[in-house]
Amino acid sequence: MNAAKANSIRMEFEDNGVLALLSGEHNQHLAHIEKSLDVTLDSFGNSIKISGAGKATKTARTVIEDLYRRIAGGKCDDIDKSMVEDALRWAVNGHQADAVTAGESFDTWKKKIVAKTKGQNDYLKLLRSNEVVFGLGPAGTGKTYMAVARAVEALKKREVERIILSRPAVEAGERLGFLPGDMKEKVDPYLRPLYDALYDMMPADKVDRMLASGEIEIAPLAFMRGRTLTAAHVIIDEAQNTTPVQMKMVLTRLGQDSHMVITGDLSQVDLPAGQPSGLAEAVSLLDNIKGVGIIHLSGQDVVRHPVVARILQAYEAGQKQQNTSK
């Protein structure tokens, strides 16, 4: 690949077949890169000319190089929009997209779950190397999805005997008695993201059988007291809404051959005014404790619609400005 300088870059490729896959039907992938980076891509023969602002043209070149290497290296037989989005995300954040394919991944029954950002890659490493992991960050960063992926992989490989899913059942306390139905029906609406992730990684009939057998257990936080959780992968979701007493209680449930992942967004605490978050306290107390990993994901790690990432980054910038002005 040859590249000129300044605001116009010409790239030449050896394999026209690979270039055709990269470009997509009717050049749809190139058009998506153009729109995302505000550049112009002119394709002719075995070359692509990139025109635009200096930084944007370099980013576009990185995206195209990474996608070309993935196809030419046999890492994929085709390119879809999600792969283009992944390459764009990594390049915009200053990282090589190839780091994804060389980085961490989890094997589930239905598919391989691969990190889509550097933050997610770091998160996956923590999930493999620590008994207790705190995954913090806004919605869309994959903190819950990746926790479920690690749990499903551990169950598939029989590293654990069961998965236990739990979270505060309502925003300001676990008022389960005011909800209709049995215990499962009371808690199910609050665990929908966890269920969705399970069904995305496992055949539906297997999920249903494991729920019936107890290999996958739904355990409301209030019902965790007094238990010792052995040979289990435990996920505590939406943990920003736990009280300090609840958080200490659940952390001390961990038994032999078990792992626990606590996820939450400290900017979305729904506890009553004046009630401290157990997640915030735990993160401050357990930093640098052996066997405990803590990661703070950000707007750069959002893998939903690109505008969601930009919205969250704007909120993060505004929060930093407020903290500076205080």
Side-chain angles (χ1 to χ4, degrees):
M1 302 179 193
N2 300 321
K5 62 178 183 177
N7 296 339
S8 179
I9 297 175
R10 183 182 297 278
M11 305 176 68
E12 295 183 0
F13 305 84
E14 296 178 357
D15 191 327
N16 283 356
V18 173
L19 183 58
L21 289 174
L22 188 158
S23 301
E25 188 175 354
H26 306 304
N27 287 339
Q28 61 180 342
H29 299 326
L30 296 185
H32 185 54
I33 296 170
E34 284 183 320
K35 182 179 178 181
S36 299
L37 298 176
D38 194 20
V39 297
T40 300
L41 303 178
D42 296 309
S43 175
F44 34 90
N46 68 332
S47 67
I48 294 177
K49 180 182 177 183
I50 309 171
S51 304
K55 183 177 180 180
T57 57
K58 291 177 181 178
T59 301
R61 178 178 62 186
T62 298
V63 172
I64 293 169
E65 286 175 342
D66 287 335
L67 291 172
Y68 185 89
R69 280 197 295 269
R70 289 191 68 182
I71 303 173
K75 294 173 181 175
C76 58
D77 298 323
D78 198 2
I79 290 289
D80 58 22
K81 185 176 179 181
S82 67
M83 294 180 184
V84 178
E85 286 286 358
D86 290 348
L88 280 164
R89 189 180 303 108
W90 279 73
V92 167
N93 292 334
H95 307 293
Q96 291 288 321
D98 268 1
V100 177
T101 58
E104 295 293 320
S105 64
F106 295 137
D107 288 317
T108 70
W109 272 281
K110 289 177 70 171
K111 59 185 175 181
K112 177 179 284 189
I113 309 299
V114 180
K116 293 180 177 291
T117 68
K118 183 179 182 302
Q120 284 191 359
N121 205 54
D122 293 340
Y123 183 32
L124 267 61
K125 289 178 181 177
L126 286 181
L127 290 172
R128 287 203 183 280
S129 59
N130 293 274
E131 287 77 22
V132 177
V133 173
F134 289 88
L136 312 176
T141 52
K143 58 187 184 297
T144 299
Y145 190 81
M146 292 298 181
V148 174
R150 174 59 187 131
V152 170
E153 180 189 67
L155 189 61
K156 180 185 177 186
K157 294 182 176 180
R158 307 314 298 179
E159 297 171 0
V160 296
E161 296 176 1
R162 55 187 170 151
I163 295 173
I164 299 176
L165 308 175
S166 183
R167 59 166 286 179
V170 292
E171 289 78 3
E174 298 182 33
R175 302 189 183 97
L176 300 179
F178 293 94
L179 298 173
D182 61 21
M183 185 54 62
K184 184 176 184 297
E185 291 171 329
K186 292 173 188 285
V187 180
D188 274 1
Y190 301 97
L191 293 164
R192 196 71 253 170
L194 297 169
Y195 278 119
D196 290 344
L198 284 172
Y199 284 109
D200 197 36
M201 299 171 199
M202 300 172 61
D205 60 338
K206 184 178 285 290
V207 175
D208 295 339
R209 285 199 309 270
M210 288 187 167
L211 282 167
S213 69
E215 289 177 273
I216 299 176
E217 179 186 350
I218 309 302
L221 208 62
F223 285 62
M224 300 280 274
R225 190 176 301 277
R227 301 182 62 184
T228 300
L229 308 175
T230 59
H233 195 102
V234 186
I235 299 174
I236 311 298
D237 195 32
E238 297 290 340
Q240 74 273 7
N241 291 327
T242 60
T243 65
V245 171
Q246 287 175 324
M247 179 58 71
K248 181 180 178 182
M249 177 273 292
V250 77
L251 285 170
T252 55
R253 299 307 94 201
L254 199 66
Q256 290 295 319
D257 301 317
S258 290
H259 297 266
M260 184 176 289
V261 185
I262 300 100
T263 65
D265 180 358
L266 288 173
S267 70
Q268 297 291 325
V269 177
D270 296 310
L271 292 168
Q275 172 67 67
S277 167
L279 178 61
E281 181 186 70
V283 168
S284 65
L285 291 175
L286 302 180
D287 195 18
N288 298 319
I289 298 295
K290 185 178 180 181
V292 176
I294 300 173
I295 189 164
H296 295 264
L297 300 169
S298 70
Q300 289 189 344
D301 300 301
V302 171
V303 292
R304 292 180 180 172
H305 193 289
V307 74
V308 177
R310 294 194 288 272
I311 289 170
L312 286 169
Q313 287 169 11
Y315 271 97
E316 289 170 4
Q319 187 62 50
K320 288 179 182 177
Q321 189 173 10
Q322 286 182 13
N323 293 340
T324 304
S325 62
K326 287 180 180 179

